[in-house]
Amino acid sequence: MTSILSSLCMAAALAAAAATANASDWIPPGPIKMLIGFHAGGGADTQARFIAEELEKRHGWAVIPKQVTGKGGLNLAAALKSAPADGTVIGIAVTETFGYNMAAAPNAGMTPTDFTGLTTTAGFQMGVVSLREKGWSTIEDAFAEAEGGAQLRFGVMSPRLADIAYLLGKANGVAFNIVEVRGGRAVLDGVNAGDLDLGFMAGIQSNGVAAGDLVNLASALSEPLKQTPEAPTFADLGMSFNSDGQFVFVAPAGLPGDVQKALASAISDVVSDPETEAGQLIAKAFGGPVVVTGDALQAQMAADYVAARELLLAASQ
């Protein structure tokens, strides 16, 4: 759903620029609890904590990070939904939480309309990756081996990616043995150990690709990977779905507009500043900042939810 991301980013950048003054004018009515939908110690958690530290430094706000993990971010969303809509509780998850994961769990009783989108911070350099010693240059080489009878083990780290891997194989006449593991690190470890033949990795592969040990066989995005732009995109491979997504800060629905603008501009300023620890981490690990705010972000979240329902339907057939 990020085929329109460039125009969204441009509109969001203009909105953020107009709202910059609000970040310094707004005073939170109390400490800001920052819910983090990722396990402690990883790159996503570190990003959130760097942002919290910089917000305190720049604005004097008391920001208290708190892990709320599980169910693909739905535990965080449930906690956030019932929180006060006054800027004192915000959360960071991935857009997949408010798209695929909510669409796949209708009994959870949540949709993107229950939340106020603040800002995205970065996207994912999601590739399909294998060891170079496999001898594959692109994923089409893997398809050829599968067509010859090989049972290829494809590592994924979420149900959404499992559906996408299934549809990728279906579109190209092969059936992967899809193995769901916990996180990109587990996919990387599985590929390196030979327990997986290939798998999705969202930037964690960059050092291995640079060293020549790993190969980005394909971009799982709607656009080429920055590290290996020659790798085919999923659209090149006959796929109408992709794994586009971003890290996103959200608040409960009903957040006043001035508070939304203040928080969004404060966070986007931090991640867009290459001098901050958050900005440097995002540039190194996630390919640079991707900032979408305001109405553009709310529209993107709604569109992601619709696209997720289409993906679920396609994967069920």
Side-chain angles (χ1 to χ4, degrees):
M1 290 307 300
T2 57
S3 59
I4 58 171
L5 188 56
S6 296
S7 58
L8 290 176
C9 287
M10 183 175 295
L14 293 173
T20 299
N22 291 327
S24 57
D25 295 342
W26 178 66
I27 300 175
I32 298 174
K33 185 182 296 183
M34 179 187 287
L35 309 183
I36 301 174
F38 313 101
H39 291 283
D45 172 62
T46 302
Q47 173 197 165
R49 292 177 182 276
F50 281 164
I51 292 170
E53 291 171 4
E54 189 66 22
L55 291 176
E56 289 191 334
K57 177 181 176 182
R58 291 187 175 200
H59 301 287
W61 302 342
V63 183
I64 306 170
K66 179 182 178 182
Q67 247 75 33
V68 181
T69 60
K71 297 184 180 179
L74 294 183
N75 286 344
L76 176 146
L80 199 62
K81 180 181 176 181
S82 61
D86 60 0
T88 59
V89 186
I90 61 177
I92 179 172
V94 290
T95 49
E96 182 176 324
T97 294
F98 304 93
Y100 181 97
N101 295 350
M102 285 187 180
N107 290 339
M110 294 182 287
T111 73
T113 60
D114 294 312
F115 305 91
T116 300
L118 298 176
T119 183
T120 60
T121 65
F124 315 123
Q125 287 295 291
M126 185 77 75
V128 180
V129 185
S130 74
L131 283 175
R132 182 168 295 279
E133 66 185 37
K134 286 281 187 184
W136 301 333
S137 297
T138 76
I139 199 167
E140 290 165 318
D141 296 327
F143 292 156
E145 192 162 319
E147 289 168 358
Q151 295 293 313
L152 300 185
R153 298 156 297 178
F154 196 126
V156 304
M157 52 278 208
S158 74
R160 177 190 181 217
L161 292 177
D163 284 351
I164 291 174
Y166 163 71
L167 291 171
L168 175 65
K170 184 178 179 181
N172 289 274
V174 301
F176 294 116
N177 177 10
I178 297 171
V179 182
E180 187 169 341
V181 298
R182 181 176 169 179
R185 170 63 65 179
V187 176
L188 174 64
D189 291 344
V191 167
N192 280 330
D195 298 325
L196 299 171
D197 297 295
L198 69 171
F200 286 121
M201 300 182 202
I204 197 171
Q205 75 274 27
S206 60
N207 288 340
V209 171
D213 300 322
L214 298 173
V215 180
N216 278 320
L217 300 175
S219 169
L221 307 175
S222 59
E223 59 187 24
L225 294 170
K226 294 181 180 179
Q227 188 175 27
T228 49
E230 70 280 4
T233 66
F234 273 14
D236 296 331
L237 300 167
M239 270 283 284
S240 56
F241 298 99
N242 57 61
S243 69
D244 288 357
Q246 299 89 37
F247 296 103
V248 61
F249 275 94
V250 295
L255 191 71
D258 60 332
V259 180
Q260 177 187 13
K261 290 179 180 179
L263 287 166
S265 63
I267 296 167
S268 61
D269 285 350
V270 169
V271 302
S272 300
D273 186 346
E275 299 300 317
T276 65
E277 289 184 297
Q280 291 169 8
L281 173 66
I282 286 170
K284 180 179 180 181
F286 305 113
V290 174
V291 174
V292 183
T293 66
D295 291 342
L297 176 55
Q298 213 69 36
Q300 180 183 320
M301 291 170 65
D304 284 350
Y305 185 76
V306 172
R309 297 178 72 174
E310 294 171 355
L311 172 60
L312 286 161
L313 177 62
S316 70
Q317 296 173 346

